[in-house]
Amino acid sequence: MESWLRHATGAAALLLCTSACNTLDTPPRDSVGADGAFATLLRGNASQLSVGTASVLPGQESSEQTTRSHTCQLETIAVVVRWVEPSLSAGQAVNLCTAAAHAARQPLHGADLNDTPVRYQVTIVSDGGGIWQQPARPARPELVVAFWFPAGDDADALRERVISTTAHEFHHIATAMAGQRRWGAHREPEAYLAGACALLAIEGELRREQLPGRHDPRADSLLPAAARRSGNAGNAIGRSLQAFFSGDHMQRDDEDGRALLRYCQQSIGFPGIAR
């Protein structure tokens, strides 16, 4: 099973293989938005699960080699952030690493996989685009995951993008490792919910504009079924979460935020507070 988390605009055409294929059929770079598109390929049953990933970033082909790295550890989760200066400062990399670790931790805890050893690589690409794939590999005894993200000019926006994407994709991985059904109408909405819940819990704030829902249903006739379902699921969960807002944003500790975090805990088992 593969699920695309898309940060796309307009009638972006995503090409997806079936669950029986051996590789991810990735979309062209000019079909995704500036934030990129991300996918996780899951193969096998829970005891023999293998995990692969793909990151598709728009723009000219990247040729840079990362020169800086920062590693952080949260319980059994080790994260390394790789980048080229000046796309990140050392302090921004520290914050990004910590946030990514918390975002990976929440879905694992939600699936009662607290003790799972994880190596998570986050690479920041600052000189262009490209398609990066992590070949599928066994999720046990150690889960290895890698994603590539475009740098951009706003370190806060980058951190938020890493948090929501990480939580979304790790939710798919964690539920598969726990033996839960991978297919079904609820699975993709839950992953989008995981991204929103992680943003609120980790950043302490969630804005309406951060909710999923940028998929244009007028493009559905151009999209494969899996991409169409994912885009519409994002729209649906974004609409449903609007009901938690009394204004344009909520705080983790205000009435709206506490209500949403309770919903996150009840729906997908997320801990109420990430820090």
Side-chain angles (χ1 to χ4, degrees):
M1 190 271 296
E2 59 286 340
S3 166
W4 280 98
L5 171 61
R6 297 186 298 133
H7 298 283
T9 58
L14 299 182
L15 305 178
L16 292 164
C17 61
T18 67
S19 59
C21 70
N22 294 318
T23 60
L24 280 167
D25 191 359
T26 55
R29 296 200 300 270
D30 60 2
S31 75
V32 301
D35 292 343
F38 307 92
T40 299
L41 172 65
L42 304 171
R43 188 180 295 113
N45 58 33
S47 63
Q48 297 180 316
L49 184 72
S50 64
V51 178
T53 69
S55 306
V56 181
L57 309 186
Q60 298 299 313
E61 189 73 26
S62 169
S63 60
E64 71 183 6
Q65 298 292 322
T66 55
T67 58
R68 298 291 307 276
S69 67
H70 174 76
T71 302
C72 60
Q73 184 87 27
L74 176 64
E75 299 171 354
T76 61
I77 300 171
V79 180
V80 57
V81 177
R82 303 184 186 278
W83 77 98
V84 173
E85 291 183 318
S87 58
L88 287 178
S89 69
Q92 289 167 342
V94 170
N95 291 337
L96 182 62
C97 193
T98 302
H102 279 288
R105 170 183 176 271
Q106 288 202 326
L108 292 169
H109 276 224
D112 294 325
L113 297 170
N114 305 22
D115 298 328
T116 302
V118 178
R119 282 194 292 129
Y120 181 27
Q121 178 177 296
V122 175
T123 302
I124 308 305
V125 180
S126 60
D127 76 331
I131 298 174
W132 290 267
Q133 295 191 54
Q134 173 196 289
R137 56 183 297 168
R140 291 180 171 88
E142 179 184 53
L143 174 62
V144 179
V145 179
F147 285 109
W148 287 254
F149 296 87
D153 298 323
D154 186 335
D156 291 339
L158 170 61
R159 186 178 63 253
E160 293 164 3
R161 185 161 63 249
V162 169
I163 289 171
S164 60
T165 301
T166 298
H168 181 117
E169 299 300 344
F170 270 80
H171 180 76
H172 284 304
I173 296 168
T175 52
M177 290 181 69
Q180 298 181 28
R181 188 167 180 254
R182 282 177 236 170
W183 297 272
H186 66 290
R187 188 57 70 208
E188 193 68 6
E190 281 185 354
Y192 280 105
L193 175 63
C197 295
L199 277 173
L200 176 59
I202 296 168
E203 294 288 89
E205 179 183 64
L206 181 66
R207 304 184 300 276
R208 284 184 187 266
E209 66 192 48
Q210 293 175 300
L211 295 177
R214 285 181 283 176
H215 171 68
D216 186 346
R218 292 174 298 181
D220 280 353
S221 62
L222 304 176
L223 298 176
R228 182 168 63 250
R229 287 194 299 267
S230 180
N232 289 318
N235 287 355
I237 198 67
R239 286 193 301 269
S240 70
L241 294 182
Q242 295 284 350
F244 287 91
F245 285 80
S246 59
D248 291 333
H249 70 282
M250 64 175 64
Q251 300 291 326
R252 182 173 55 207
D253 298 322
D254 66 19
E255 185 176 349
D256 292 349
R258 290 193 300 270
L260 179 52
L261 289 177
R262 284 194 298 272
Y263 180 71
C264 298
Q265 188 171 37
Q266 294 164 1
S267 300
I268 55 177
F270 271 29
I273 298 177
R275 300 190 184 197

